[in-house]
Amino acid sequence: MKYLDEFRDGQLARGLAARICQETDSTRHYALMEFCGGHTHAICRYGIEDLLPGNVRLIHGPGCPVCVLPSGRLQAAIDLAEQERVILCGYGDLLRVPGARGDTLLKAKARGADVRMVYSVDDALDAACTHPNQQVVFFAIGFETTTPPTAVAIQQARRERLGNFSVYCNHVLTPPALRALLAAPLPSPPRRQGVAQIKGQIDGFIGPAHVSTIIGSQPYEFVATDYQRPLVIAGFEPLDVLQAILMLIRQINANEAHVDNEYTRAVSPEGNRKAQRLMDEVFTIRSSFEWRGLGELPGSALAIRPAFADWDAERRFTIPEIPAIDHKACVCAEVLRGITRPEECKVFATACTPDHPLGACMVSAEGACAAHYHYGRFRQAAAS
Amino acid sequence: MSPRRDVFPHRLDLQHGCVELSHGGGGRAMAQLIEELFLAAFDNAWLRAQDDGARLMVPPGRLTMATDSHVVSPLFFPGGDIGCLSVHGTINDVAMAGARPLYLAATFILEEGFPLADLKRIVDSMAHAARHAGVPIVTGDTKVVERGKGDGVFITTTGVGLIPEGVEIAARQAQPGDAILLSGSLGDHGMAVMAQRENLRFDASIESDTAALHELVAAMVAAVPGIHCLRDPTRGGLGCALNEIAQQAGVGMQLREAAIPVHEPVRALCEFLGLDPLYVANEGKLLAICPAEFADTLLAVMHGHSLGREAAIIGEVVADPHCFVEMATVFGGRRLVDWLSGEQLPRIC
Ligand code: SF4
């Protein structure tokens, strides 16, 4: 795998880091948000923050599908799994996440529920074929990246008249979440403000990698046109991230705001038309959907179209709305907007840990608080 | 075995037969299974005596004792199977005290219906591993559970070993300034097993590293009797093993990612599944912590052994009240190598 190493070359990284240092303006701050959990992972895993000058700050965004799934819907999946003759199939990182009542799919499995970890929706389809007398439900989550395979599976189920397969759809959309972050009622003073950093101001975005291969770069244009912020789409390799940071800093210095693409080896402006058509055939946009940590966001999630209602778990089963309120000490909404740092939360690493998450950002290793907990806690200890 | 012929007029069908409840019932069927399968494979004077307990000669000195249960799925994987794994695992646990393993005991929990052909393969693999390591299996036990109440076969092995005089190896001995050495590449066992698992459509040429490390340890201890700590990073991998030691010794650690060997297919499969090789299981690797002045000598000894060819000095022990294990990444940044929360599960997206 020479390919991977090329993007992890330490020397190239130091060269890029040196350029970033040269080009940053020491009289100002740069608050950059990486939207995706994949970027958060690369940043923490490779210690990229250590390579950046002190006035460049990275804010970990909400782009981790496991984190933003409301715990009420997770609880509904747990309840579903406990029904007679139901096999619930889900991705591995969902199994440990606590639902609204503190329960998890793993615990339900231990009590006897048939919960299966799958690597793709195809495994769930296989389970439906091999267990004709049981109801197989695929617990679908994820951004635009994981949506086309779910669409293919639903179409296949219809073609093969698989009466015992359905999808509990929790697919969400990236652009509406970005818009919500930008539209939040925060002080939004002019961009050049001298040395003082404006809390909650995000100066630029590192845009999604895999999501953008599907939707392309066009859907992010509003970030530049409506909100005058630069956005650079970047791959998930650590060198991609550094390159994107440099590109953002250049735009910010030049007082420019446009959508740039660092990830040209995979992303085109229009994206993958075939995948988009597929998604459109099977899914429709929900009027509103709750994001854990961000609240209700209009037009931010997908539901299965009525034409495919027979494969929609929300119609096949009675799935109640389970209200869930995160812990009152949790400041995820502020963490996700860069107003508060994870370690500034009163319960960080005490009451709230990856084993007992109290809020969205601690749920999966890619969440902002969990990433800091797993990879960055020593910085705080060194500072104190 | 000819005098017994009349007791078991029909030999066990080791090709098409299955484990039956009677094989654990204490009667004739069990005696036959022991004689025609276990005794035939493990053959030694202690087992031939067919007493409930083995009488052992024990040299003077300190003994160490370790036990390990094995429940791997699948039972056969590239590079090994549950049989040799169960022998290596316990030999390694004994060896991590710096000891020379002397004897092993083995317990089998078999599921009704388990093919005898598979059981024979497993038992032969154990016998080969024990013989190759020079550590006899001197006693054992077999139980059979009803179909559906086991997962084919579970094996527990227990071992005792003799600790050489003057050797004092324990986690709490790790001290600031000590060097941390690793005997070879990470993650081969865990990823070989994962690549083999049902449902994972991934063709990777990864083999388990399962191996008995006691001879490597003997060479290391002979050259550097002042080794502070040895550990085999099995479940939880290097990351958890180092955190355990740091916690027990009340120290911190600084690792260099660039020095930690990981084979390319393992790295690629980990990447694909979103796993970190630092937390993947190994079954033939060890970590050694020793005073810095002995590190080069120890490294040379490890390089001279077939199981330590890729050995490397991967970091050092430091004073740290938080007991953090930190790592300088290949990229020039730093990160924490934290405990794992639960089991490592593949990521989506
Ligand atoms: S540490 Fe926990 S409670 Fe605090 S903001 Fe993060 S997720 Fe919420």
Side-chain angles (χ1 to χ4, degrees), chain B residues 287-299:
Chain B
L287 268 167
I289 294 180
C290 76
E293 65 262 37
F294 301 132
D296 289 334
T297 311
L298 194 58
L299 187 65

Side-chain angles (χ1 to χ4, degrees), chain A residues 88-113:
Chain A
L88 189 100
C89 298
Y91 294 124
D93 43 3
L94 270 173
L95 302 191
R96 246 199 318 265
V97 180
R101 296 195 286 275
D103 206 359
T104 68
L105 283 167
L106 272 185
K107 286 185 191 161
K109 183 167 184 265
R111 288 194 300 268

Side-chain angles (χ1 to χ4, degrees), chain A residues 327 329-332 335 342 345-349 352 357-362 369:
Chain A
H327 197 273
C330 178
V331 290
C332 269
V335 170
C345 170
K346 280 207 272 308
V347 290
F348 175 80
C352 184
L358 296 183
C361 304
M362 195 59 102
C369 295

Side-chain angles (χ1 to χ4, degrees), chain B residues 214-228:
Chain B
H214 61 305
E215 282 166 4
L216 172 62
V217 169
M220 290 166 65
V221 169
V224 182
I227 293 175
H228 282 157

Side-chain angles (χ1 to χ4, degrees), chain A residues 226-246:
Chain A
D226 299 2
Y227 297 96
Q228 292 78 49
R229 300 292 200 285
L231 181 144
V232 177
I233 292 166
F236 280 152
E237 293 298 331
L239 279 180
D240 290 324
V241 175
L242 275 179
Q243 180 67 43
I245 291 171
L246 182 61

Side-chain angles (χ1 to χ4, degrees), chain A residues 320-333:
Chain A
E321 289 270 332
I322 301 172
I325 307 150
D326 274 330
H327 197 273
K328 61 181 188 310
C330 178
V331 290
C332 269

Side-chain angles (χ1 to χ4, degrees), chain B residues 242-253:
Chain B
L242 287 176
N243 272 289
E244 271 167 35
I245 299 170
Q247 234 11 285
Q248 284 163 8
V251 295
M253 297 186 184

